[in-house]
Amino acid sequence: MRGKLGRMLTLLIATDGSDNAARAVQHVVDLARRGIKLEAVLVSVQRPVMSGEVGAVAPIEIAERMRTVAAHAAIDAARAPLEAAGVGVRVHETEGDAAEEIAAAAGALHCDAIVMGRRGLGALAGLLMGSVSSHVVRLAKVPVTLVN
């Protein structure tokens, strides 16, 4: 997995704070500890807050702030082990469809590959609904590693 002529690889890591995302981060940490030169781009995608989702108790600004805090917590949790392993980290936060935004970010940020957790959908649910990871695999123009 070394880059051409020993150059550093840039790996996009999709993070949402889940256990699956943490395992993806750990996979990248393990690669770095094996001597692979790499940089990580942590990507957090938030779904836009729709006015119909917000009840009378919380105005839309509060809901957006809560999502921002959650995204920052996910990024901070992912950043710490990467930096401890000597991996350079960049952060990209965006809003929209997670699969589309992850695939687009990989291209726009010149990433060599995407590393992300595989969602634990059952076989039937996966067939009926699909998952973010399966959509990323279809959309991405770079290799995608799904971590269990």
Side-chain angles (χ1 to χ4, degrees):
M1 197 165 185
R2 292 191 194 276
K4 295 176 187 169
L5 302 175
R7 77 171 178 86
M8 184 177 301
L9 289 175
T10 301
L11 301 179
L12 182 150
I13 306 170
T15 185
D16 61 3
S18 68
D19 289 343
N20 287 332
R23 285 191 289 277
V25 168
Q26 186 58 50
H27 176 70
V28 174
V29 166
D30 292 344
L31 292 174
R33 288 189 176 143
R34 289 207 229 100
I36 297 173
K37 296 183 340 184
L38 53 91
E39 170 188 41
V41 178
L42 295 174
V43 173
S44 173
V45 181
Q46 298 298 306
R47 192 171 52 85
V49 176
M50 304 299 189
S51 61
E53 296 178 59
V54 179
V57 176
I60 205 162
E61 294 83 18
I62 293 174
E64 287 176 351
R65 178 68 181 142
M66 290 171 57
R67 287 186 181 185
T68 300
V69 168
H72 288 183
I75 288 168
D76 290 344
R79 181 193 306 253
L82 290 163
E83 288 180 343
V87 176
V89 176
R90 289 188 285 150
V91 173
H92 179 73
E93 296 179 66
T94 188
E95 200 175 86
D97 177 80
E100 291 175 7
E101 294 297 328
I102 291 166
L109 301 171
H110 309 290
C111 297
D112 297 298
I114 298 169
V115 180
M116 61 188 297
R118 187 176 154 262
R119 190 159 67 174
L121 286 176
L124 181 58
L127 286 173
L128 295 176
M129 295 176 14
S131 68
V132 171
S133 60
S134 64
H135 287 129
V136 169
V137 169
R138 285 193 294 272
L139 295 171
K141 305 243 187 293
V142 298
V144 179
T145 298
L146 300 178
V147 180
N148 283 323

